[in-house]
Amino acid sequence: DAGVTQSPTHLIKTRGQQVTLRCSPISGHKSVSWYQQVLGQGPQFIFQYYEKEERGRGNFPDRFSARQFPNYSSELNVNALLLGDSALYLCASSLTVVMVYGYTFGSGTRLTVV
Amino acid sequence: DAKTTQPNSMESNEEEPVHLPCNHSTISGTDYIHWYRQLPSQGPEYVIHGLTSNVNNRMASLAIAEDRKSSTLILHRATLRDAAVYYCILQSNFGNEKLTFGTGTRLTIIP
């Protein structure tokens, strides 16, 4: 079975540009979460979506937005990129909105802003 | 979110047991204790979780103190593939879906 798939794997953007990152959850998983991991730190929660509705939002500016599609895949959008947005962006899926069963993470998208 | 405290780094010899400690003195009665690990160039990987009783799975064991203020992740026989950053995370089962990662413990396995 395929795990959590993220695309692209690497991306280089210029300050001020916009970027869209994509995530396909494990088949049957209805919850998708997004995390940002800056070098040397643990991942930080950005969003969680369940059944196409936002269920949680971390402490990130409005430049960050996301959505979940009917097939449970998800996109993370970041507008007006800053150098500080350079990070590994991780997507995690789970069977339900309750996390007791554990999240499965993808390998992430490495975003570099120059 | 309740806070966890872990050593920044640990070393262990290959094929020996590893005990990774985590302190969580402000844990509430409904908080689950989760462990994830992150291998180089990969996303975090679920290892194990528990509430009150000790837990075992194919990857590891989780020993939870009787007062639940600390826990220990036990790798019974470390291999080089266990070299990773290990995160201890508390998570409430009451709709708080996010994982709050700290800086974790970087485990180095010595051949």
Side-chain angles (χ1 to χ4, degrees):
Chain A
D1 288 340
V4 177
T5 305
Q6 293 188 243
S7 63
T9 55
H10 295 83
L11 201 53
I12 299 175
K13 289 286 189 177
T14 304
R15 276 179 299 176
Q17 286 189 315
Q18 176 263 342
V19 68
T20 298
L21 311 180
R22 295 176 176 82
C23 172
S24 293
I26 289 175
S27 177
H29 283 196
K30 299 181 178 180
S31 175
V32 170
S33 299
W34 288 94
Y35 287 79
Q36 180 197 65
Q37 187 173 25
V38 175
L39 199 62
Q41 298 182 18
Q44 277 199 299
F45 173 75
I46 310 175
F47 286 110
Q48 187 194 37
Y49 277 78
Y50 177 71
E51 291 281 15
K52 302 182 291 297
E53 291 189 3
E54 183 182 304
R55 295 297 299 264
R57 183 184 183 114
N59 189 24
F60 281 81
D62 292 343
R63 299 184 296 108
F64 288 77
S65 63
R67 55 180 175 168
Q68 187 178 32
F69 298 99
N71 66 354
Y72 303 111
S73 67
S74 178
E75 287 182 350
L76 175 69
N77 295 284
V78 186
N79 294 322
L81 285 167
L82 303 174
L83 295 179
D85 294 330
S86 296
L88 180 67
Y89 288 86
L90 295 159
C91 173
S93 77
S94 63
L95 194 60
T96 69
V97 71
V98 177
M99 204 274 291
V100 177
Y101 305 104
Y103 283 149
T104 301
F105 282 81
S107 295
T109 294
R110 173 73 61 188
L111 172 65
T112 302
V113 182
V114 296
Chain B
D1 295 324
K3 184 177 171 59
T4 63
T5 304
Q6 299 178 254
N8 289 331
S9 63
M10 291 182 62
E11 289 186 350
S12 180
N13 293 321
E14 192 177 11
E15 299 186 1
E16 290 187 355
V18 182
H19 289 68
L20 295 163
C22 180
N23 288 317
H24 29 78
S25 58
T26 60
I27 191 170
S28 73
T30 58
D31 285 339
Y32 282 79
I33 303 160
H34 293 261
W35 284 82
Y36 280 73
R37 70 179 185 181
Q38 189 170 20
L39 280 65
S41 302
Q42 295 188 27
E45 173 187 30
Y46 168 80
V47 177
I48 200 167
H49 78 276
L51 184 61
T52 56
S53 304
N54 294 344
V55 185
N56 300 294
N57 65 21
R58 64 174 181 82
M59 290 181 68
S61 295
L62 176 60
I64 301 172
E66 195 169 336
D67 63 5
R68 300 211 327 127
K69 293 185 177 182
S70 65
S71 60
T72 302
L73 179 70
I74 302 166
L75 307 178
H76 294 287
R77 192 167 168 269
T79 70
L80 295 177
R81 289 173 293 180
D82 292 321
V85 178
Y86 286 78
Y87 296 99
C88 170
I89 301 165
L90 301 182
Q91 208 265 345
S92 169
N93 193 23
F94 291 158
N96 182 13
E97 300 83 4
K98 69 178 183 180
L99 290 172
T100 302
F101 289 83
T103 52
T105 296
R106 182 172 298 279
L107 177 64
T108 301
I109 304 298
I110 302 169

